[in-house]
Amino acid sequence: MKHNRRIRILMVMDSLAVGGTETYVLSLVKAFPSLGVMPVYAGGTGVMYEAFARAGCPIHRVDLTAEQLQDPARQEHAEQTLTQIMHSRKIDLVHIHQTPSGLYAAQAARKLGIPVVFTVHGAYYPSDQLQQMQAAGCTFISVSLPVQAYLERQGIPSHVIANGIDFEQYRSESSSALRAGLRIPDGKKVVVYASRLAWDKAVVCAMLVRAARTIQLNGTIPLHVVIAGTGNQAAAIAELAETVNLECGTSFVHLVGSQMQMRDYYNLGDLVVGTGRVALEAMACGKPVLAIGNHGYFGFVDQPVYDEAWQYYFGDHDSKERPSEQRIGGALSDALASSDRLEEMGRQGQAWARANFHIRDKALQMKQLYYSLLGENLIGME
């Protein structure tokens, strides 16, 4: 069978908030049309609405938040609305990313005989919800090897398709305008932390701020820390940053909130601290990465440990050890003392990320999986 027929995909998410899952789905939405895959979105709205609209993706607003779906009447309404969208848009396959919103999309698709793909973005999905998804007939995709192992322990097979990065969106460029806007003098080292400020990632952020405080008070390395992200611990991080800035007598910790143009902030950094997709985006911009995630501490993503970094998914889904203020501080001090090492790490990381995580390659893998699931249903359909 020739794979030359255009297929229509319904992407379903809770919302269009700024986050790694949403950014990844946007990159797929932009890559798909040239491959003959036509995406449609259904789910809640958010600040990424305009980005999806600019990508030419039709958007259907459906409230699929967990709070709304606690009401049985709203559950029924959500499923009916999704059914109508699938029917009117002549959807061939549904691709879901979150729970419980994805469950209602899967149930609607099953009644229409439409295949469903479920990408599992981490090991945080409750087991009972994963079992419900499997019972609903979903084909599972894991974004990393640890996630695949997590699913296997629950008797759920999956295909591994890593996050892909849009190298036109994430690239090396000057950050002088942003540096001036944040009033960071030339010659000061900049560490960028990018993450949702929630769960263990907020704990890591607090450790980073306290480690930077020690470095600042020692006076060994002129340093600024830029924190991009928001979440339910953002207020606590802001309070800590204010305290540390007052104690050190200088405003060197900057909270910039949630950002749509993360490329500018990655390029501002001499070093990026992050995990998962953040690590890949930063490397695409040619930046060295200290990988620390929800699961724990991995360390620097350097050439000798690239394969290992992927196996751990940069500390987000697996890790070597627990992070600590002392460990983070020691790593920062060692790395920031050698600009040449940082630049070389950035160059090598950029080449590795491009070779292994290009969005077009991942979109092609996804397309092949879609076609394998659609199979004979495609024959004779136009």
Side-chain angles (χ1 to χ4, degrees):
M1 181 182 67
K2 293 183 179 180
H3 294 173
N4 56 5
R5 174 199 173 276
R6 289 180 178 269
I7 57 176
R8 293 172 290 275
I9 305 299
L10 182 65
M11 289 286 188
V12 180
M13 291 190 293
D14 292 354
S15 75
L16 293 176
V18 176
T21 297
E22 296 82 2
T23 303
Y24 174 46
V25 172
L26 175 61
S27 66
L28 283 174
V29 161
K30 292 162 67 175
F32 272 156
S34 66
L35 302 177
V37 178
M38 311 310 295
V40 175
Y41 169 77
T45 188
V47 295
M48 292 186 72
Y49 179 97
E50 291 296 330
F52 274 74
R54 285 195 302 270
C57 180
I59 297 171
H60 293 271
R61 294 176 60 173
V62 185
D63 195 339
L64 297 174
T65 59
E67 294 78 12
Q68 290 292 325
L69 292 176
Q70 289 177 355
D71 182 350
R74 293 184 182 275
Q75 294 173 11
E76 184 177 354
H77 177 71
E79 190 173 322
Q80 289 175 348
T81 302
L82 290 166
T83 300
Q84 291 169 358
I85 293 167
M86 294 174 200
H87 182 73
S88 65
R89 287 287 181 178
K90 299 180 179 178
I91 296 300
D92 297 305
L93 186 144
V94 173
H95 193 155
I96 59 182
H97 298 267
Q98 291 149 330
T99 60
S101 60
L103 180 61
Y104 299 97
Q107 290 171 343
R110 191 176 192 182
K111 292 177 182 177
L112 296 174
I114 297 173
V116 181
V117 169
F118 176 30
T119 292
V120 180
H121 292 270
Y124 47 77
Y125 297 80
S127 177
D128 61 330
Q129 293 183 3
L130 293 174
Q131 296 297 333
Q132 286 180 303
M133 293 299 207
Q134 186 180 35
C138 296
T139 295
F140 284 70
I141 296 174
S142 298
V143 299
S144 71
L145 297 173
V147 168
Q148 184 183 46
Y150 172 70
L151 292 175
E152 284 177 350
R153 288 194 294 271
Q154 301 180 63
I156 301 174
S158 66
H159 305 263
V160 177
I161 301 179
N163 267 233
I165 303 299
D166 181 350
F167 281 81
E168 294 182 5
Q169 173 69 20
Y170 296 98
R171 62 181 187 270
S172 304
E173 63 181 17
S174 171
S175 62
S176 57
L178 180 56
R179 177 180 281 266
L182 292 173
R183 298 181 180 178
I184 300 175
D186 291 342
K188 298 276 189 178
K189 298 292 185 182
V190 178
V191 174
V192 173
Y193 184 78
S195 173
R196 282 181 173 148
L197 299 180
W199 309 303
D200 288 343
K201 292 180 181 178
V203 175
V204 170
C205 184
M207 290 179 184
L208 171 64
V209 171
R210 288 193 291 266
R213 163 193 171 278
T214 301
I215 294 172
Q216 187 76 17
L217 290 174
N218 288 342
T220 53
I221 300 173
L223 177 67
H224 280 248
V225 177
V226 176
I227 300 168
T230 189
N232 59 20
Q233 295 298 307
I237 297 297
E239 184 176 350
L240 174 62
E242 183 179 7
T243 300
V244 167
N245 283 338
L246 285 171
E247 186 177 358
C248 294
T250 179
S251 296
F252 77 103
V253 180
H254 311 260
L255 271 68
V256 298
S258 182
Q259 295 292 326
M260 286 290 293
Q261 297 297 327
M262 277 305 302
R263 178 181 69 216
D264 298 338
Y265 288 87
Y266 293 139
N267 279 295
L268 177 67
D270 294 281
L271 173 67
V272 174
V273 179
T275 188
R277 185 175 178 85
V278 166
L280 291 171
E281 290 172 351
M283 283 188 284
C285 293
K287 295 299 174 179
V289 170
L290 176 61
I292 315 171
N294 261 329
H295 196 281
Y297 186 92
F298 176 80
F300 288 104
V301 183
D302 208 352
Q303 195 167 39
V305 296
Y306 285 156
D307 288 344
E308 193 177 19
W310 158 240
Q311 290 168 11
Y312 283 86
Y313 204 55
F314 313 101
D316 207 26
H317 303 157
D318 199 358
S319 58
K320 293 183 174 181
E321 53 197 313
R322 299 306 302 163
S324 68
E325 176 186 335
Q326 293 72 25
R327 185 169 299 284
I328 294 171
L332 293 180
S333 296
D334 290 346
L336 294 175
S338 176
S339 296
D340 290 344
R341 182 198 172 196
L342 287 175
E343 291 175 4
E344 181 66 12
M345 197 187 305
R347 283 193 298 270
Q348 292 174 344
Q350 188 177 47
W352 177 71
R354 181 181 290 275
N356 292 278
F357 299 96
H358 199 292
I359 185 57
R360 185 171 178 85
D361 296 336
K362 304 309 173 186
L364 277 169
Q365 283 183 259
M366 201 73 75
K367 174 186 173 181
Q368 290 166 359
L369 177 60
Y370 291 164
Y371 272 106
S372 72
L373 295 174
L374 290 167
E376 296 301 316
N377 293 336
L378 287 173
I379 296 178
M381 295 174 60
E382 293 296 338

